[in-house]
Amino acid sequence: MTRPIPVSFTAGASGDWHILAIHPVAGPPLAAAARLSVTSGEAPPPGLWTLTGSTSNARYATRAETDGLAARQQGLGRPAATRAALIPITKNPDWWALAQDERRAIFEERSRHTAIGMDYLPAIARRLHHCRELGGPFDFLTWFEFSPEAEPAFDAMLSRLRATEEWRFVAAEVDIRLARD
Amino acid sequence: MTRPIPVSFTAGASGDWHILAIHPVAGPPLAAAARLSVTSGEAPPPGLWTLTGSTSNARYATRAETDGLAARQQGLGRPAATRAALIPITKNPDWWALAQDERRAIFEERSRHTAIGMDYLPAIARRLHHCRELGGPFDFLTWFEFSPEAEPAFDAMLSRLRATEEWRFVAAEVDIRLARD
């Protein structure tokens, strides 16, 4: 585990990713733009909006779950992974008022968040960025990369996650789909 | 649980708190200064150094522990609490490579971090600020307030904590003592 990596997502006229769609699942939308730029360790370019988060340590996964994920997941930047999704999420105050054991029980024992994600490895690569302590409107920014053929599986994964008890605590969610050449 | 509150601690010539001592327990020291200013929701004043963190949700405490703390703890700003301590801490990469269940087991089942703190309530008031995802040299900034009569008890609490297994993962720690009129 390296130090946290700050990552910014900027929507505007430039960037490696074409924005295909911005769909507000819950809460307010984000402004439409042509492209998305992903930057780390440098100032983000000017744009219509920028969301910034930071990688961090896992907050719920046990050693067994962490090892299971590590054995199956693949990294970002695979040549065949020409589709991506950025999903900013905010959880409601009821979630943040829960104690650690209560959040863990909802997250995994009852909602099977990690177990559901495991079903889609290694096709769906994923990196979570935390931003609750950085200000701004969202608590989490999750970035996913996959091949065009895996997009139906990705949609199925989201449907399963959004049907869980954990998602009752989601106050805002935007689903941004992207493609690169 | 409200939204996270950003808080900055600035050492320099101004501020409500006199700096009595800056003691590097582990790792590099911080520069000596006359006073410390604590600001939130406004730009910190100029100074020799500024450390910024954010309140957040508890990362390890169970519901029973959270309720136990809430029943006994008192808030910051008590008139009799004219002494304070700011203790910035960084944990080493081994700590951050542990899974959630491993960190919890060390933090509480084996090191009794919350249980030790409970022994000093309500005399010692405490607020934890996270800064690992904000950049800067430290992972945590803990602020304590107590009466002058409680300082020996505060020292005893620190001695007990520093003798725990959890503290083997502390790579840097500075103990800053303060007083106000």
Side-chain angles (χ1 to χ4, degrees):
Chain A
M1 184 69 198
T2 57
R3 296 290 297 174
I5 301 166
V7 181
S8 290
F9 302 92
T10 302
S14 67
D16 288 343
W17 294 91
H18 300 269
I19 297 177
L20 303 177
I22 299 182
H23 173 56
V25 181
L30 285 163
R35 287 179 170 266
L36 188 85
S37 172
V38 183
T39 51
S40 182
E42 57 186 300
L48 284 175
W49 48 259
T50 293
L51 301 174
T52 298
S54 174
T55 64
S56 187
N57 56 296
R59 305 288 166 86
Y60 300 108
T62 62
R63 170 53 53 195
E65 290 160 356
T66 301
D67 288 348
L69 291 167
R72 292 178 65 173
Q73 69 196 356
Q74 293 182 1
L76 302 182
R78 295 172 295 180
T82 57
R83 296 296 176 94
L86 174 65
I87 304 195
I89 279 181
T90 303
K91 283 179 170 167
N92 68 23
D94 288 347
W95 174 262
W96 296 113
L98 295 173
Q100 177 69 26
D101 57 338
E102 295 170 322
R103 281 182 279 105
R104 161 73 200 189
I106 295 168
F107 181 92
E108 195 61 36
E109 276 71 29
R110 305 215 290 272
S111 299
R112 312 291 297 157
H113 188 131
T114 300
I116 289 171
M118 283 278 284
D119 286 346
Y120 300 89
L121 295 180
I124 312 293
R126 168 188 172 280
R127 189 168 67 186
L128 175 63
H129 312 82
H130 293 258
C131 39
R132 182 167 147 78
E133 286 74 37
L134 302 185
F138 296 104
D139 295 334
F140 307 100
L141 310 171
T142 313
W143 176 260
F144 303 91
E145 289 181 5
F146 42 85
S147 70
E149 298 72 35
E151 193 145 18
F154 180 69
D155 287 326
M157 182 186 77
L158 293 186
S159 292
R160 290 174 65 190
L161 287 167
R162 288 172 180 155
T164 61
E165 179 181 353
E166 184 193 353
W167 247 254
R168 294 183 207 166
F169 296 90
V170 171
E173 177 176 7
V174 184
D175 184 336
I176 304 165
R177 299 298 174 100
L178 309 115
R180 63 178 168 81
D181 302 324
Chain B
M1 185 69 202
T2 57
R3 295 291 297 172
I5 302 166
V7 181
S8 291
F9 302 92
T10 302
S14 67
D16 288 342
W17 294 91
H18 300 270
I19 298 178
L20 304 177
I22 299 183
H23 173 55
V25 180
L30 286 164
R35 286 176 170 270
L36 188 85
S37 171
V38 184
T39 51
S40 181
E42 56 185 299
L48 283 176
W49 49 260
T50 293
L51 300 174
T52 299
S54 173
T55 64
S56 187
N57 56 295
R59 305 286 165 87
Y60 301 107
T62 62
R63 171 53 55 198
E65 290 160 355
T66 301
D67 288 349
L69 290 167
R72 293 179 64 176
Q73 70 196 356
Q74 294 182 359
L76 301 181
R78 295 172 295 180
T82 58
R83 296 295 176 95
L86 173 65
I87 304 194
I89 278 181
T90 303
K91 283 179 171 167
N92 67 26
D94 289 347
W95 175 261
W96 295 112
L98 295 173
Q100 178 68 25
D101 57 339
E102 295 169 322
R103 281 182 278 103
R104 162 72 199 187
I106 294 169
F107 181 91
E108 195 60 35
E109 276 71 29
R110 305 217 289 273
S111 298
R112 312 294 294 158
H113 188 130
T114 300
I116 289 173
M118 282 278 285
D119 286 345
Y120 300 89
L121 295 179
I124 313 292
R126 170 189 171 279
R127 189 168 68 187
L128 176 63
H129 312 82
H130 293 258
C131 39
R132 182 168 147 78
E133 287 75 37
L134 301 185
F138 295 106
D139 294 335
F140 307 100
L141 310 171
T142 314
W143 176 259
F144 302 91
E145 289 181 6
F146 42 86
S147 71
E149 298 73 35
E151 193 146 17
F154 180 69
D155 287 325
M157 182 186 78
L158 292 187
S159 293
R160 289 174 65 189
L161 287 167
R162 288 173 181 156
T164 62
E165 179 181 351
E166 185 193 353
W167 247 254
R168 295 183 206 164
F169 296 89
V170 171
E173 177 177 8
V174 183
D175 184 337
I176 304 165
R177 298 299 173 98
L178 309 115
R180 62 176 169 84
D181 302 325

PDB file of all heavy atoms in Angstrom, chain B residues 89-101:
ATOM      1  N   ILE B  89       0.489  12.374  14.294  1.00  0.00           N
ATOM      2  CA  ILE B  89       1.016  11.005  14.195  1.00  0.00           C
ATOM      3  C   ILE B  89       0.991  10.541  12.747  1.00  0.00           C
ATOM      4  O   ILE B  89       0.059  10.863  12.003  1.00  0.00           O
ATOM      5  CB  ILE B  89       0.191  10.056  15.106  1.00  0.00           C
ATOM      6  CG1 ILE B  89       0.686  10.155  16.558  1.00  0.00           C
ATOM      7  CG2 ILE B  89       0.231   8.605  14.611  1.00  0.00           C
ATOM      8  CD1 ILE B  89      -0.024   9.252  17.534  1.00  0.00           C
ATOM      9  N   THR B  90       2.019   9.813  12.365  1.00  0.00           N
ATOM     10  CA  THR B  90       2.036   9.098  11.089  1.00  0.00           C
ATOM     11  C   THR B  90       2.260   7.626  11.371  1.00  0.00           C
ATOM     12  O   THR B  90       3.158   7.276  12.147  1.00  0.00           O
ATOM     13  CB  THR B  90       3.180   9.592  10.180  1.00  0.00           C
ATOM     14  OG1 THR B  90       3.040  10.998   9.984  1.00  0.00           O
ATOM     15  CG2 THR B  90       3.136   8.890   8.822  1.00  0.00           C
ATOM     16  N   LYS B  91       1.464   6.763  10.777  1.00  0.00           N
ATOM     17  CA  LYS B  91       1.700   5.327  10.904  1.00  0.00           C
ATOM     18  C   LYS B  91       2.507   4.834   9.706  1.00  0.00           C
ATOM     19  O   LYS B  91       2.527   5.457   8.643  1.00  0.00           O
ATOM     20  CB  LYS B  91       0.377   4.592  11.062  1.00  0.00           C
ATOM     21  CG  LYS B  91      -0.161   4.750  12.498  1.00  0.00           C
ATOM     22  CD  LYS B  91      -1.469   4.072  12.732  1.00  0.00           C
ATOM     23  CE  LYS B  91      -1.826   4.070  14.222  1.00  0.00           C
ATOM     24  NZ  LYS B  91      -3.234   3.693  14.448  1.00  0.00           N
ATOM     25  N   ASN B  92       3.193   3.719   9.888  1.00  0.00           N
ATOM     26  CA  ASN B  92       4.108   3.247   8.843  1.00  0.00           C
ATOM     27  C   ASN B  92       3.367   2.455   7.759  1.00  0.00           C
ATOM     28  O   ASN B  92       2.186   2.123   7.902  1.00  0.00           O
ATOM     29  CB  ASN B  92       5.265   2.458   9.477  1.00  0.00           C
ATOM     30  CG  ASN B  92       4.818   1.160  10.097  1.00  0.00           C
ATOM     31  OD1 ASN B  92       3.810   0.589   9.696  1.00  0.00           O
ATOM     32  ND2 ASN B  92       5.576   0.668  11.076  1.00  0.00           N
ATOM     33  N   PRO B  93       4.049   2.178   6.633  1.00  0.00           N
ATOM     34  CA  PRO B  93       3.366   1.465   5.539  1.00  0.00           C
ATOM     35  C   PRO B  93       2.830   0.092   5.939  1.00  0.00           C
ATOM     36  O   PRO B  93       1.821  -0.362   5.376  1.00  0.00           O
ATOM     37  CB  PRO B  93       4.475   1.341   4.474  1.00  0.00           C
ATOM     38  CG  PRO B  93       5.381   2.505   4.741  1.00  0.00           C
ATOM     39  CD  PRO B  93       5.399   2.657   6.235  1.00  0.00           C
ATOM     40  N   ASP B  94       3.475  -0.570   6.915  1.00  0.00           N
ATOM     41  CA  ASP B  94       2.960  -1.879   7.364  1.00  0.00           C
ATOM     42  C   ASP B  94       1.532  -1.749   7.900  1.00  0.00           C
ATOM     43  O   ASP B  94       0.694  -2.631   7.686  1.00  0.00           O
ATOM     44  CB  ASP B  94       3.856  -2.476   8.456  1.00  0.00           C
ATOM     45  CG  ASP B  94       5.190  -2.949   7.908  1.00  0.00           C
ATOM     46  OD1 ASP B  94       5.337  -3.057   6.674  1.00  0.00           O
ATOM     47  OD2 ASP B  94       6.102  -3.192   8.728  1.00  0.00           O
ATOM     48  N   TRP B  95       1.276  -0.677   8.630  1.00  0.00           N
ATOM     49  CA  TRP B  95      -0.075  -0.452   9.167  1.00  0.00           C
ATOM     50  C   TRP B  95      -1.088  -0.302   8.035  1.00  0.00           C
ATOM     51  O   TRP B  95      -2.145  -0.929   8.019  1.00  0.00           O
ATOM     52  CB  TRP B  95      -0.093   0.795  10.049  1.00  0.00           C
ATOM     53  CG  TRP B  95      -1.469   1.175  10.536  1.00  0.00           C
ATOM     54  CD1 TRP B  95      -2.290   2.126  10.010  1.00  0.00           C
ATOM     55  CD2 TRP B  95      -2.179   0.589  11.635  1.00  0.00           C
ATOM     56  NE1 TRP B  95      -3.472   2.182  10.722  1.00  0.00           N
ATOM     57  CE2 TRP B  95      -3.430   1.248  11.716  1.00  0.00           C
ATOM     58  CE3 TRP B  95      -1.890  -0.415  12.558  1.00  0.00           C
ATOM     59  CZ2 TRP B  95      -4.380   0.941  12.681  1.00  0.00           C
ATOM     60  CZ3 TRP B  95      -2.843  -0.735  13.518  1.00  0.00           C
ATOM     61  CH2 TRP B  95      -4.061  -0.065  13.573  1.00  0.00           C
ATOM     62  N   TRP B  96      -0.725   0.520   7.063  1.00  0.00           N
ATOM     63  CA  TRP B  96      -1.680   0.829   5.995  1.00  0.00           C
ATOM     64  C   TRP B  96      -1.854  -0.332   5.022  1.00  0.00           C
ATOM     65  O   TRP B  96      -2.824  -0.359   4.255  1.00  0.00           O
ATOM     66  CB  TRP B  96      -1.274   2.119   5.279  1.00  0.00           C
ATOM     67  CG  TRP B  96      -1.352   3.284   6.210  1.00  0.00           C
ATOM     68  CD1 TRP B  96      -0.318   4.034   6.704  1.00  0.00           C
ATOM     69  CD2 TRP B  96      -2.533   3.803   6.842  1.00  0.00           C
ATOM     70  NE1 TRP B  96      -0.790   4.995   7.572  1.00  0.00           N
ATOM     71  CE2 TRP B  96      -2.139   4.872   7.680  1.00  0.00           C
ATOM     72  CE3 TRP B  96      -3.891   3.476   6.779  1.00  0.00           C
ATOM     73  CZ2 TRP B  96      -3.054   5.617   8.446  1.00  0.00           C
ATOM     74  CZ3 TRP B  96      -4.795   4.215   7.532  1.00  0.00           C
ATOM     75  CH2 TRP B  96      -4.375   5.264   8.341  1.00  0.00           C
ATOM     76  N   ALA B  97      -0.933  -1.298   5.065  1.00  0.00           N
ATOM     77  CA  ALA B  97      -1.090  -2.494   4.234  1.00  0.00           C
ATOM     78  C   ALA B  97      -1.998  -3.529   4.890  1.00  0.00           C
ATOM     79  O   ALA B  97      -2.392  -4.507   4.246  1.00  0.00           O
ATOM     80  CB  ALA B  97       0.280  -3.108   3.952  1.00  0.00           C
ATOM     81  N   LEU B  98      -2.346  -3.335   6.151  1.00  0.00           N
ATOM     82  CA  LEU B  98      -3.224  -4.292   6.840  1.00  0.00           C
ATOM     83  C   LEU B  98      -4.664  -4.128   6.354  1.00  0.00           C
ATOM     84  O   LEU B  98      -5.087  -3.039   5.956  1.00  0.00           O
ATOM     85  CB  LEU B  98      -3.177  -4.060   8.348  1.00  0.00           C
ATOM     86  CG  LEU B  98      -1.832  -4.328   9.030  1.00  0.00           C
ATOM     87  CD1 LEU B  98      -1.888  -3.890  10.497  1.00  0.00           C
ATOM     88  CD2 LEU B  98      -1.455  -5.808   8.932  1.00  0.00           C
ATOM     89  N   ALA B  99      -5.422  -5.216   6.402  1.00  0.00           N
ATOM     90  CA  ALA B  99      -6.852  -5.171   6.094  1.00  0.00           C
ATOM     91  C   ALA B  99      -7.608  -4.599   7.302  1.00  0.00           C
ATOM     92  O   ALA B  99      -7.054  -4.474   8.400  1.00  0.00           O
ATOM     93  CB  ALA B  99      -7.360  -6.559   5.733  1.00  0.00           C
ATOM     94  N   GLN B 100      -8.876  -4.258   7.089  1.00  0.00           N
ATOM     95  CA  GLN B 100      -9.673  -3.632   8.148  1.00  0.00           C
ATOM     96  C   GLN B 100      -9.743  -4.502   9.395  1.00  0.00           C
ATOM     97  O   GLN B 100      -9.594  -4.016  10.525  1.00  0.00           O
ATOM     98  CB  GLN B 100     -11.076  -3.316   7.634  1.00  0.00           C
ATOM     99  CG  GLN B 100     -12.019  -2.703   8.674  1.00  0.00           C
ATOM    100  CD  GLN B 100     -11.630  -1.289   9.099  1.00  0.00           C
ATOM    101  OE1 GLN B 100     -10.964  -0.559   8.360  1.00  0.00           O
ATOM    102  NE2 GLN B 100     -12.033  -0.900  10.304  1.00  0.00           N
ATOM    103  N   ASP B 101      -9.974  -5.819   9.234  1.00  0.00           N
ATOM    104  CA  ASP B 101     -10.096  -6.682  10.409  1.00  0.00           C
ATOM    105  C   ASP B 101      -8.771  -6.784  11.166  1.00  0.00           C
ATOM    106  O   ASP B 101      -8.764  -6.871  12.398  1.00  0.00           O
ATOM    107  CB  ASP B 101     -10.632  -8.074  10.026  1.00  0.00           C
ATOM    108  CG  ASP B 101      -9.787  -8.788   8.988  1.00  0.00           C
ATOM    109  OD1 ASP B 101      -9.017  -8.134   8.256  1.00  0.00           O
ATOM    110  OD2 ASP B 101      -9.910 -10.029   8.902  1.00  0.00           O
TER     111      ASP B 101
END
